[in-house]
Amino acid sequence: MGVEWVLVCHGLVTLLVVISFLCGQWPIFQGTFVERIHYFLTGGFYDYLLRLVDSLCGSRGINAILSVEYFCYHRPNPILQLIYVAILGATYYFAVKSSFSYIPGYYLGGSHRYISLVAVCIGVVLFILTCFSDAGTVNTENVSQYLSAYPYDNILYSEKECSTCRITKPARSKHCSICNRCVARFDHHCGWMNNCIGERNNRFFLAFLLWHFLLCIYGTAAIGLILAGRLVDFKVIHILTVYYGIENSFLSLAPHVVQVSASSLIIFCSQFTCEQYTCEKPFLLLYLELLFHGT
């Protein structure tokens, strides 16, 4: 299978996973495979794993799994940080190996080799800043500053003492049971960052999310442009326009592209020779190379 088809399949699988994860509970997907994928991603896999371990190892296996779960999700540890680095590194490696050979291309300039690297590095920097910056720890030395900065409204927030830290809790603060500290303007504890998200690193966390969202859009657009450039390189659009006799535009081609089959193109291409139509290769070879080899 050619690299182009690998990219197409990867994009379709990624789109299916994203839609299933975010929208799988919508009524429109009730009873469909999208709902089942959503269940599998959000908890079904763990349930199946526990059942499998219980059937194979019994209660000892279950206790071992629960111990690992406690360590991963209820104690500070770098496991999810390492997983993030592995995912990012593997994804970028796959993109380099599969796509960089087509850059520069018809629609993308050679500068995108370096732009993509810079974009990934910026994401890593934001990740590091979020992970290792202080979230806004409240202690006996700075509690008075936070008390004056965030007054109580006596509705949602009233004066009370943290039973663990033995200090007065400022408004909008919370004691994190995982990090074992009070955090000003506590939002949540992020396992991927192995850190709390609070007053002092909330901006880094939001920038991290926004940048990775933009990075996903950039990667999707770049892969789409690479595939579109390969269609131009193989003269597929030209073949379709000659076959249907319509204008050379994607909008006018769209209703007809799905009608093109291998048999119809082979019949069409077999009617041409290089003497009848000037091109670098016979249409049949162009189409077969795109369909089976991708190079």
Side-chain angles (χ1 to χ4, degrees):
M1 180 181 290
V3 173
E4 292 89 347
W5 296 111
V6 174
L7 293 176
V8 171
C9 294
H10 178 266
L12 292 176
V13 171
T14 301
L15 181 63
L16 176 62
V17 170
V18 171
I19 292 177
S20 301
F21 182 77
L22 297 178
C23 313
Q25 291 181 312
W26 289 9
I28 191 175
F29 296 118
Q30 187 174 3
T32 65
F33 67 93
V34 175
E35 183 183 33
R36 291 192 291 270
I37 294 175
H38 173 83
Y39 168 74
F40 182 81
L41 294 175
T42 56
F45 171 77
Y46 187 64
D47 292 338
Y48 294 141
L49 176 63
L50 289 179
R51 294 176 187 176
L52 177 63
V53 172
D54 186 32
S55 62
L56 296 177
C57 306
S59 59
R60 289 186 177 181
I62 294 294
N63 292 334
I65 294 292
L66 295 178
S67 299
V68 173
E69 177 189 355
Y70 177 80
F71 175 77
C72 292
Y73 295 103
H74 301 286
R75 301 303 304 164
N77 66 85
I79 292 178
L80 290 180
Q81 290 175 301
L82 297 176
I83 292 177
Y84 163 79
V85 173
I87 292 174
L88 185 65
T91 302
Y92 186 69
Y93 175 79
F94 174 79
V96 170
K97 295 293 289 185
S98 61
S99 304
F100 273 29
S101 58
Y102 304 114
I103 301 175
Y106 191 85
Y107 294 107
L108 288 179
S111 60
H112 286 275
R113 288 171 172 258
Y114 310 103
I115 292 175
S116 62
L117 177 60
V118 172
V120 171
C121 289
I122 291 176
V124 172
V125 169
L126 292 174
F127 176 74
I128 292 174
L129 288 174
T130 308
C131 290
F132 299 103
S133 60
D134 179 25
T137 303
V138 181
N139 50 44
T140 55
E141 287 76 17
N142 59 19
V143 63
S144 59
Q145 301 175 8
Y146 284 115
L147 289 172
S148 59
Y150 302 106
Y152 301 109
D153 57 8
N154 293 319
I155 300 176
L156 294 176
Y157 305 103
S158 56
E159 184 175 351
K160 61 180 65 175
E161 183 182 86
C162 175
S163 58
T164 304
C165 299
R166 299 299 180 182
I167 58 175
T168 303
K169 295 176 60 176
R172 304 179 65 182
S173 68
K174 184 179 178 181
H175 184 86
C176 177
S177 59
I178 298 177
C179 296
N180 194 29
R181 59 179 176 175
C182 284
V183 178
R185 288 180 58 190
F186 180 87
D187 187 84
H188 70 287
H189 180 90
C190 181
W192 291 101
M193 305 295 176
N194 193 26
N195 196 6
C196 294
I197 306 301
E199 181 193 47
R200 300 187 62 180
N201 65 351
N202 186 58
R203 61 186 184 277
F204 298 139
F205 180 72
L206 294 177
F208 169 85
L209 295 180
L210 176 61
W211 186 258
H212 279 67
F213 172 72
L214 297 176
L215 191 61
C216 291
I217 293 179
Y218 168 72
T220 303
I223 291 176
L225 291 174
I226 289 173
L227 294 174
R230 296 297 289 168
L231 293 180
V232 173
D233 294 339
F234 285 110
K235 299 182 174 62
V236 173
I237 301 301
H238 185 64
I239 294 174
L240 293 174
T241 54
V242 172
Y243 182 75
Y244 285 104
I246 54 182
E247 295 180 359
N248 188 11
S249 67
F250 284 103
L251 292 179
S252 58
L253 282 171
H256 303 282
V257 170
V258 294
Q259 303 174 15
V260 178
S261 63
S263 59
S264 63
L265 269 178
I266 290 175
I267 293 173
F268 163 69
C269 295
S270 63
Q271 299 173 358
F272 286 85
T273 63
C274 286
E275 290 78 19
Q276 293 172 312
Y277 196 90
T278 303
C279 65
E280 294 179 1
K281 297 179 181 180
F283 282 105
L284 179 59
L285 289 179
L286 288 171
Y287 181 72
L288 292 178
E289 284 185 355
L290 175 64
L291 183 63
F292 298 109
H293 301 292
T295 55

